[in-house]
């Protein structure tokens, strides 16, 4: 594989990353080819030593998504981290997904339920005194405040649980990648022994 072919495939695989980040990564890998040429190695030898550019791009995208999550911790960063990790295509991550998605789904459902309870509490707080339910105006106001507090508690708890789940998923994927990386490396190292 030539330098141009390798770099073209790597750049295509990095589409979606911030332009500056992708340019820095491409420059780093371009430097590998420059260093290899200075050492008298061919472009094909350098490309073979670097490995599959498509796999490399997936790994770099996953790591960039995990780093962004570590820095920002917002919904967009969470989605980037999760989709980057899915892009690695590791078999046990694919096995883990049927377990993780329902858990995330249940947490999101509870989060939305918390929002609904908060809105219902606001309605009870505002409309309750006008309908004169059992216990009078004060009971209606306290009931509304209580529901709003419960809703806020549910929202906060589920947001915290969501953060923990994303952190655990990123940690698991990084651990998984570190364990699998030696097995994914080209067999050149073993043949040189």
């Amino acid at each position: 594989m030539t330098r141009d072919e390798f770099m073209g495939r790597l750049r295509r695989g990095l589409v979606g990353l911030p332009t500056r980040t992708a340019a820095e990564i491409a420059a780093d890998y371009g430097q590998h080819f420059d260093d290899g040429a200075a050492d008298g190695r061919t472009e094909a030898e350098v490309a073979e030593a670097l490995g599959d550019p498509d796999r490399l791009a997936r790994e770099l995208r996953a790591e960039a998504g995990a780093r962004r999550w570590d820095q920002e911790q917002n919904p967009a960063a969470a989605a980037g981290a999760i989709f980057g990790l899915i892009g690695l295509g590791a078999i046990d991550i694919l096995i883990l997904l049927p377990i993780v998605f329902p858990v995330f789904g249940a947490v999101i459902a509870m989060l939305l339920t918390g929002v609904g309870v908060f809105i219902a509490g606001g309605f009870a707080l505002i409309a309750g005194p006008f309908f004169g339910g059992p216990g009078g105006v004060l009971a209606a106001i306290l009931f509304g405040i209580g529901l709003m507090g419960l809703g806020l508690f549910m929202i906060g708890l589920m947001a915290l649980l969501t953060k923990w789940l994303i952190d655990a998923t990123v940690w698991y994927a990084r651990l998984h990648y570190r364990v699998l990386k030696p097995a994914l490396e080209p067999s050149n190292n073993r043949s040189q022994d």
Side-chain angles (χ1 to χ4, degrees), residues 28-78:
D28 288 343
Y29 280 92
Q31 187 63 43
H32 285 291
F33 281 96
D34 293 340
D35 293 344
D39 292 340
R41 297 170 68 197
T42 66
E43 289 181 354
E45 290 172 334
V46 174
E48 185 178 335
L50 291 174
D52 179 27
D54 298 324
R55 181 181 57 84
L56 234 117
R58 285 191 304 271
E59 292 168 1
L60 291 166
R61 288 174 61 86
E63 184 58 33
R67 252 186 278 125
R68 182 175 175 210
W69 168 250
D70 287 341
Q71 294 169 352
E72 296 180 26
Q73 297 195 354
N74 59 35

Side-chain angles (χ1 to χ4, degrees), residues 7 120 135 140 162 170:
M7 295 303 292
T162 300
V170 167

Side-chain angles (χ1 to χ4, degrees), residues 73-167:
Q73 297 195 354
N74 59 35
I82 290 171
F83 288 125
L85 298 173
I86 291 170
L88 283 176
I91 191 69
D92 64 333
I93 289 177
L94 295 176
I95 292 170
L96 188 65
L97 288 179
I99 298 167
V100 171
F101 279 144
V103 171
F104 274 110
V107 169
I108 297 298
M110 289 298 294
L111 182 69
L112 294 175
T113 301
V115 170
V117 169
F118 180 81
I119 291 170
F123 180 76
L125 178 67
I126 294 169
F130 296 111
F131 292 113
V137 173
L138 183 60
I141 291 172
L142 291 176
F143 179 69
I145 291 172
L147 277 179
M148 290 177 75
L150 176 64
L152 284 176
F153 172 75
M154 290 173 69
I155 292 168
L157 184 63
M158 292 305 115
L160 187 61
L161 187 57
T162 300
K163 181 195 175 310
W164 288 341
L165 286 171
I166 293 171
D167 285 344

